[in-house]
Amino acid sequence: MTNLALDTSRQHSRPITNTRVASWLRRLAYFAFAGTVVLLPLRLRLVLVPRPSPPIYADYTDFLLFAADGLLLLTLGLWGLSLAMDSRSISAGPALLWAPIAGFMAVGGLSSAFSVDPALSLYHTVRLAALFALYLYVVNEIRSLKLLVWPVALQAGLQSVIAIGQLYAQRSLGLQLLGEHLLDPAWSGVSVVGAQGTRILRAYGLSDHPNLLGGTLTFALLLLIASYATGGRRSRWLLLAIAVSFAGLLATFSRAAWLGLAVGLLFLWLMLRRHEPGSERRLLFVFVIVEALVILFLLRYPGAVASRLGLADAFAVNPLESRSLSERGTLNAATNEVFAENALTGTGLGALPLALRARFPEFPFFYQPAHLTLLEAAAEIGLLGAGFYALALAAPWLALALRRERPAGQAWIAASAVLLAITVVGLFDYYPWLLNPGRLWQWLAWGWWAASFTAAGNGDA
């Protein structure tokens, strides 16, 4: 009897031990995930395989491992071990979202067979697979807005402090070990705003470009504002993060990011008024802070803001702004030609700059992706893949139209606002489709939306 009792206790001790280990692994995975979010904007990276192809910017062709990638892989590894320890089932979220995502991923993978650079397309296919795993992690593990708020606030706050410092000093801050660009507004290739004969440096933070930083701060701000508007007294600390992040966003002079924030804030205002009574007063307080910062910024940089907004015919008479608009128009037109010639197969995932160089040996601008994500997707993975991608972008709004009477919830509203801003930015820039920070935000927001949509009582169907 004694031996039997001992055997029985051993049989019962194993699942208990496994469950505890799995719980610790999940906690460690969350902290690795939080680190991924904090490091998301950083351009700090390792060049795994240099693949120079001048005059194309090397980041479009090299195989890279970013700082955030390392923590993402750690997150997925720890989470995978936790799943193996306690054999939990996982959800993919609403089929309305995961099905088109799976569709454009599959088509993107197949595009390698037709790519102008098959190895590059396979590299991007592997990246999309990791992003889909991130999506699944968020759907299953990040069910509360609180789990996202603090890493996003830390991410945005750190980047904004550096951005504000760069704008004030009009140079880089000596943080090259963390990936900061060497910056001087007098140098060619550095992003600046021209105003009345003066070149004003746009803030980069630790990102690769002011537009990337601007988008990152816009998406973070919408999350932070939604959390503050629906939180209690303990959320008052978010006001400081919001104010600093908004100042950092202004320092980027990113028009697309500014527009994305404006549209996202309008959505938050309309939805929170309807579904979260009591949030209006807090939103109004945020708007007062935002308005005060805008006024101070306009007083300090009136000419630069006027140039970026096209006032006083700046888009025609300001050479920096007119060149920027001309470049985007030329790139979009050239990409449209490449798409028309490769509508069925595409040029290969991530391979559009190479396809542009092959199609247009003489080109007046740098070879880079089109500044419109849907056109970029169509050119790279063909019409079918772009159709799936368009459905993935539209899925949250189809769900809203089909299930308008279902409960919303603050997390769902915040996730929807971020997705809306990402879509707006994607009308003017390509980084939500191609570049690492934009992709991470896109897939993070998709996963967060799916988790919050399900948690709000809408099910997995």
Side-chain angles (χ1 to χ4, degrees):
M1 289 295 293
T2 302
N3 290 338
L4 180 60
L6 287 173
D7 290 344
T8 302
S9 66
R10 287 173 182 168
Q11 290 171 6
H12 284 292
S13 67
R14 181 171 297 175
I16 293 174
T17 302
N18 286 352
T19 301
R20 288 177 179 174
V21 172
S23 177
W24 278 106
L25 288 170
R26 290 175 68 190
R27 292 179 187 180
L28 291 173
Y30 168 71
F31 284 108
F33 165 77
T36 303
V37 174
V38 173
L39 298 184
L40 183 153
L42 268 68
R43 67 179 293 270
L44 183 66
R45 69 283 178 95
L46 293 174
V47 179
L48 300 178
V49 181
R51 306 172 74 247
S53 188
I56 297 172
Y57 182 43
D59 277 19
Y60 294 145
T61 55
D62 289 345
F63 294 172
L64 306 171
L65 183 71
F66 291 87
D69 292 337
L71 287 177
L72 172 59
L73 293 175
L74 180 60
T75 301
L76 299 178
L78 291 168
W79 185 52
L81 286 174
S82 77
L83 293 175
M85 293 295 291
D86 62 5
S87 302
R88 286 177 292 116
S89 61
I90 63 173
S91 167
L96 186 65
L97 179 59
W98 69 255
I101 287 177
F104 80 73
M105 283 183 58
V107 175
L110 290 173
S111 75
S112 301
F114 309 98
S115 176
V116 298
D117 188 338
L120 182 62
S121 295
L122 285 172
Y123 162 78
H124 283 286
T125 299
V126 172
R127 280 199 162 275
L128 289 189
L131 289 169
F132 187 70
L134 170 66
Y135 165 85
L136 292 176
Y137 172 80
V138 174
V139 170
N140 289 273
E141 302 293 339
I142 309 299
R143 297 282 179 136
S144 170
L145 188 58
K146 295 177 182 178
L147 296 175
L148 271 175
V149 166
W150 76 264
V152 167
L154 186 57
Q155 172 212 107
L158 290 173
Q159 293 296 319
S160 295
V161 168
I162 295 169
I164 293 166
Q166 289 170 343
L167 180 63
Y168 178 78
Q170 284 296 288
R171 58 175 175 79
S172 50
L173 303 181
L175 301 175
Q176 280 68 49
L177 287 177
L178 299 177
E180 183 189 28
H181 274 295
L182 283 170
L183 303 172
D184 187 318
W187 294 347
S188 176
V190 173
S191 187
V192 298
V193 180
Q196 300 164 342
T198 302
R199 291 168 61 91
I200 299 173
L201 176 70
R202 298 173 60 192
Y204 282 65
L206 298 179
S207 73
D208 201 42
H209 193 276
N211 289 342
L212 270 175
L213 178 60
T216 291
L217 294 178
T218 284
F219 311 146
L221 273 165
L222 290 170
L223 188 155
L224 298 177
I225 291 170
S227 183
Y228 170 73
T230 56
R233 292 184 178 180
R234 293 182 179 180
S235 67
R236 286 182 294 184
W237 67 274
L238 286 172
L239 279 175
L240 177 61
I242 290 168
V244 172
S245 300
F246 187 75
L249 172 61
L250 291 174
T252 67
F253 289 93
S254 174
R255 288 180 295 231
W258 291 352
L259 180 60
L261 180 65
V263 174
L265 283 176
L266 178 60
F267 177 84
L268 278 182
W269 171 259
L270 294 175
M271 295 302 294
L272 290 177
R273 285 184 63 191
R274 177 180 176 184
H275 295 284
E276 297 289 333
S279 63
E280 292 180 44
R281 183 178 178 181
R282 285 176 165 249
L283 278 176
L284 287 172
F285 194 46
V286 170
F287 291 157
V288 169
I289 293 175
V290 166
E291 185 177 0
L293 289 171
V294 168
I295 291 172
L296 291 174
F297 191 70
L298 287 173
L299 291 174
R300 180 66 180 86
Y301 302 103
V305 174
S307 294
R308 291 300 284 170
L309 298 182
L311 302 179
D313 207 23
F315 290 162
V317 301
N318 187 312
L320 291 174
E321 298 303 326
S322 61
R323 175 182 170 82
S324 175
L325 294 177
S326 176
E327 180 182 37
R328 293 184 179 217
T330 302
L331 279 167
N332 287 349
T335 300
N336 195 51
E337 286 191 41
V338 170
F339 162 66
E341 295 168 1
N342 302 272
L344 292 179
T345 62
T347 61
L349 195 60
L352 179 60
L354 292 164
L356 286 172
R357 187 185 62 180
R359 177 64 177 79
F360 302 100
E362 300 294 330
F363 200 65
F365 301 104
F366 291 113
Y367 296 107
Q368 59 180 300
H371 288 254
L372 175 60
T373 55
L374 192 56
L375 176 59
E376 167 77 0
E380 288 189 358
I381 60 176
L383 194 58
L384 178 61
F388 282 125
Y389 179 63
L391 284 174
L393 294 177
W397 317 113
L398 293 174
L400 180 62
L402 294 173
R403 304 185 180 191
R404 65 181 66 181
E405 298 304 323
R406 294 295 182 93
Q410 60 176 14
W412 177 86
I413 292 172
S416 299
V418 173
L419 282 175
L420 179 59
I422 291 173
T423 303
V424 170
V425 167
L427 298 175
F428 305 96
D429 218 325
Y430 58 84
Y431 56 83
W433 170 259
L434 182 69
L435 301 184
N436 204 53
R439 279 177 166 176
L440 282 170
W441 263 113
Q442 176 73 80
W443 289 77
L444 173 64
W446 269 333
W448 181 29
W449 181 88
S452 57
F453 184 75
T454 302
N458 295 285
D460 291 336

